[in-house]
Amino acid sequence: MRRKGTVLNRIYLWMVNNLSSRQLMGVLAAVVGLGAGFAAVVLKNMVHFISHQLHAFSNLEYQNYIYIFSPVVGILLTILFIKYVLRKPIGHGVPGILHAISRNNGFLHRYKTFSSLIASTFTVGFGGSVGLEGPIVGTGAAIGSNVGRAFKLNRRQIVTLIGCASSGAVAAIFNAPIAGIVFSLEILMLDLTFSSLIPLLIASASAVVTSYFFLGNDILYKFDVVSTFELSDLLFYILLGVFSGLVSVFFARIYRFMDHRFERVRNGYHRLLAGGLLLGLLIFIFPSLYGEGYNEINQCLAGDMDYLFSRSFFYGFQDEIWVVILLLFGVTMLKVVATSATFGAGGIGGIFAPALFIGANAGMFLSKLINMTGLHEISERNFALVGMGGLIAGVLHAPLFAIFLIADISGGYSLFVPLMITSIFSYVIVRYYHPNSVYTYQLAQRKELITHDKDKSVLNLMKIDSLIETNFLPVYADANLGEFLETVTKSKRNVFPVIDHENNLQGIVFINDIRHIILKRDLYDKIQMSDLMYMPSPLVHPDESMEGVAKKFQTTSHYNLPVVKDGKYMGFISRANMFSTYRKILQDFSEE
């Protein structure tokens, strides 16, 4: 162990002493990209192995009863692993990353480099209706965070490495390097600067190469563009964008509704039974809801609807077009219920795959309805593909990521225009109803969400506790003017908090306000502080946000605001100290 530590220490010292800051970031970006790519390979193979073994128990083409119980088993194994083996919370991938960036300076625990891989393997491998992308991105981000801390990087550099690892994870999953970069810029809200772009490119490329090395050149979704976009299709792609936006609103509302419902259930095993059995019943009736759904998406993109009927009660109705349309609509709406039930029961996973599944089925459903009317002949396969982009844009609030991801998946840009149209309309509609995505709404409710607005971002990182100044000498309310002037001679401040003998704030006194009576000695024994003080407004509570404090300074002319908790005086926050701290943190966001 000593030799190993010595070798790693020598590597660390050599890199720090011989590489410039940008060179070091480039090397570390490649390292975390390789780590994220390898994590994606490991997770894919583990989940597919478990799923394959589970399906080997039954080869029936219909009425597969194992679907009722297998998700419960998988989520139970997940819960037991977290409770008795890990003994620490895992959380969900992308929201956890956003919280770490917003509130913890990019700090992610070491155990998160592997915990999500194991937990999501149980959840998804046994049929949980969620994806693998969130856990892989979370794993990659934890790798980036811990590598950055190991090399004693500053906050901005650590956040950049988190973005690099996340880009690498997405790039490795989908074999989509450009989409991986856009993911970090749009969803993680990483600033686009030259010093961050080059590491993102390096990490994304290294992750894709790692995926190629272990899994080959096969892309996740096989799609060849047969019919290209024509101007006569424009109105229908706008319609698809509107429909995708409405489905995204439905996704967000059902997801939040079920999340709140499951939170009310205190007992974890009761949540498991309720969510697991609901999920199992849905999968039993609609087997296409099983797992991440990549095979079903590929069949949908190929125009093969057999996945709707395989192993289901509807096996004998493949030739009935109305049954096909109803099933498409059913799995589109129920996938979000199955996903929410998986999370509510205690499963670990992501929402990328569910959004892609819903988008493909929504696009296929709408295209079949359009073609049945005879008004226009639309490519059903193209609609399914572009529908995936519409749901990603709506559910994740990420239109750029949706456009580049689907363009990468399709192997070209011949459908770039309809992708843009559908994604934009979907995004606009969902933003009207829900300003925050599924990823960010909980952070936004707690006012802990970092954004591209650097002002809010910096204020979000500032802590009131570290800004409270306690060198304002207090005076008692029953002290007279003479006693007060003795305190003035010992103070370096011109503001004095007035308290009672239990430290409750009674008011404040400005030295400038009493300057006209300082030399009138005959008043020293006659005037008390209670006669001179006044209660300032506004007050600052130690638990409020710095954005709120900044607004109080902005709307008043005060240079110092008292901090009070439950009536007790704690100190002051000064405008000058707050601005100085703001500038220091802002500098960390800037270029070196």
Side-chain angles (χ1 to χ4, degrees):
M1 291 300 292
R2 181 177 297 178
R3 288 183 177 180
K4 182 178 179 182
T6 301
V7 171
L8 292 176
N9 189 53
R10 287 178 179 176
I11 294 174
Y12 165 76
L13 291 175
W14 185 90
M15 292 177 66
V16 170
N17 293 328
N18 293 275
L19 299 179
S20 67
S21 177
R22 289 187 177 181
Q23 290 172 334
L24 179 62
M25 287 298 295
V27 173
L28 296 182
V31 170
V32 300
L34 290 170
F38 186 72
V41 172
V42 170
L43 184 55
K44 281 183 182 180
N45 281 285
M46 289 195 302
V47 169
H48 292 166
F49 174 78
I50 292 178
S51 180
H52 177 76
Q53 294 301 317
L54 188 64
H55 281 85
F57 283 101
S58 175
N59 292 318
L60 297 177
E61 292 183 333
Y62 59 92
Q63 297 183 11
N64 199 341
Y65 294 98
I66 197 172
Y67 286 156
I68 298 178
F69 306 105
S70 64
V72 180
V73 173
I75 298 174
L76 175 60
L77 291 174
T78 301
I79 293 173
L80 293 176
F81 166 72
I82 295 173
K83 186 173 182 178
Y84 295 107
V85 180
L86 194 63
R87 297 182 180 179
K88 297 174 183 176
I90 293 180
H92 299 298
V94 176
I97 299 171
L98 292 174
H99 182 268
I101 295 174
S102 298
R103 304 299 293 181
N104 293 331
N105 293 318
F107 174 80
L108 289 164
H109 291 281
R110 289 182 182 178
Y111 72 85
K112 293 192 175 182
T113 59
F114 64 88
S115 57
S116 293
L117 294 181
I118 299 173
S120 60
T121 296
F122 292 137
T123 298
V124 181
F126 282 87
S129 196
V130 291
L132 300 175
E133 308 81 9
I136 296 176
V137 171
T139 298
I143 293 173
S145 173
N146 283 278
V147 169
R149 284 160 49 212
F151 279 83
K152 299 178 176 61
L153 303 182
N154 60 37
R155 179 199 176 277
R156 182 177 55 81
Q157 291 172 318
I158 291 176
V159 171
T160 298
L161 281 187
I162 289 176
C164 289
S166 301
S167 294
V170 173
I173 298 167
F174 297 106
N175 283 354
I178 301 302
I181 295 171
V182 176
F183 171 86
S184 289
L185 299 177
E186 189 171 29
I187 295 180
L188 297 187
M189 292 162 278
L190 196 68
D191 283 336
L192 179 58
T193 61
F194 182 79
S195 63
S196 64
L197 180 59
I198 299 302
L200 286 173
L201 288 167
I202 294 173
S204 187
S206 62
V208 168
V209 169
T210 304
S211 180
Y212 281 163
F213 180 80
F214 287 99
L215 301 178
N217 292 331
D218 291 339
I219 58 176
L220 192 61
Y221 300 112
K222 300 176 176 64
F223 188 88
D224 295 320
V225 178
V226 177
S227 57
T228 57
F229 171 72
E230 298 179 2
L231 190 60
S232 58
D233 299 334
L234 176 62
L235 180 62
F236 297 96
Y237 280 109
I238 293 175
L239 179 62
L240 176 60
V242 173
F243 183 60
S244 298
L246 294 176
V247 173
S248 298
V249 172
F250 174 78
F251 187 110
R253 292 189 173 180
I254 294 297
Y255 181 89
R256 296 177 188 184
F257 171 78
M258 294 188 66
D259 180 52
H260 293 318
R261 288 291 182 180
F262 277 105
E263 280 185 352
R264 294 180 181 178
V265 182
R266 299 287 184 181
N267 190 297
Y269 294 106
H270 291 170
R271 289 198 299 268
L272 169 64
L273 287 175
L277 291 179
L278 172 60
L279 174 62
L281 183 62
L282 287 173
I283 295 176
F284 177 63
I285 300 174
F286 303 96
S288 58
L289 300 179
Y290 179 96
E292 50 193 340
Y294 285 147
N295 292 331
E296 288 76 9
I297 293 174
N298 276 320
Q299 289 184 15
C300 183
L301 294 177
D304 181 4
M305 298 292 101
D306 285 347
Y307 69 94
L308 296 171
F309 302 93
S310 178
R311 305 186 181 210
S312 78
F313 292 110
F314 311 103
Y315 184 72
F317 297 91
Q318 296 99 320
D319 298 328
E320 300 291 335
I321 184 61
W322 279 110
V323 176
V324 173
I325 291 177
L326 289 174
L327 284 178
L328 283 171
F329 182 78
V331 297
T332 297
M333 297 295 107
L334 291 175
K335 181 67 174 182
V336 62
V337 178
T339 298
S340 302
T342 303
F343 286 132
I348 299 296
I351 61 172
F352 273 44
L356 292 171
F357 177 93
I358 293 171
N361 283 278
M364 182 62 70
F365 163 77
L366 187 60
S367 63
K368 286 187 175 294
L369 281 183
I370 293 172
N371 289 336
M372 283 187 64
T373 64
L375 297 175
H376 186 76
E377 186 69 24
I378 195 78
S379 171
E380 295 178 355
R381 296 177 64 243
N382 286 1
F383 245 54
L385 181 74
V386 177
M388 292 165 67
L391 261 292
I392 289 292
V395 172
L396 305 188
H397 285 209
L400 287 177
F401 174 62
I403 293 168
F404 283 99
L405 175 64
I406 305 304
D408 275 353
I409 287 174
S410 63
Y413 291 86
S414 56
L415 293 177
F416 205 72
V417 173
L419 274 172
M420 293 175 62
I421 294 170
T422 299
S423 298
I424 292 299
F425 272 88
S426 177
Y427 175 72
V428 169
I429 287 175
V430 78
R431 282 279 296 183
Y432 177 79
Y433 291 100
H434 297 288
N436 297 108
S437 70
V438 172
Y439 284 148
T440 61
Y441 86 98
Q442 289 181 337
L443 292 175
Q445 285 179 332
R446 299 198 301 264
K447 298 182 179 180
E448 295 179 348
L449 178 63
I450 194 169
T451 68
H452 278 307
D453 185 339
K454 282 190 177 180
D455 182 60
K456 291 184 179 181
S457 301
V458 173
L459 290 172
N460 217 10
L461 293 169
M462 295 169 65
K463 311 291 185 182
I464 287 182
D465 291 345
S466 63
L467 295 176
I468 296 177
E469 300 177 48
T470 58
N471 61 342
F472 292 79
L473 298 183
V475 293
Y476 290 114
D478 56 4
N480 59 39
L481 180 58
E483 292 170 332
F484 169 67
L485 292 177
E486 290 181 7
T487 303
V488 171
T489 61
K490 303 174 185 177
S491 176
K492 297 180 180 179
R493 314 302 293 253
N494 63 352
V495 182
F496 297 86
V498 181
I499 60 175
D500 62 18
H501 291 275
E502 296 180 351
N503 198 42
N504 293 302
L505 182 69
Q506 303 296 303
I508 63 173
V509 173
F510 275 96
I511 194 69
N512 288 341
D513 293 342
I514 64 168
R515 196 177 297 275
H516 61 288
I517 62 172
I518 288 178
L519 299 179
K520 297 181 180 181
R521 293 181 177 275
D522 58 319
L523 300 178
Y524 283 9
D525 296 326
K526 298 179 180 179
I527 297 179
Q528 291 184 327
M529 287 298 98
S530 57
D531 300 322
L532 301 174
M533 69 183 187
Y534 71 94
M535 179 58 73
S537 179
L539 301 176
V540 173
H541 191 277
D543 295 329
E544 71 177 288
S545 69
M546 285 306 302
E547 187 177 358
V549 177
K551 288 181 179 178
K552 290 178 178 179
F553 275 118
Q554 185 178 3
T555 55
T556 66
S557 59
H558 301 321
Y559 289 93
N560 299 282
L561 293 177
V563 182
V564 177
K565 182 176 183 179
D566 299 327
K568 305 294 184 182
Y569 165 74
M570 298 181 65
F572 279 81
I573 288 183
S574 70
R575 185 191 295 260
N577 189 26
M578 179 178 173
F579 181 73
S580 176
T581 305
Y582 174 92
R583 290 291 299 172
K584 184 179 183 301
I585 297 178
L586 183 63
Q587 188 176 4
D588 291 337
F589 276 89
S590 304
E591 295 290 333
E592 291 181 335

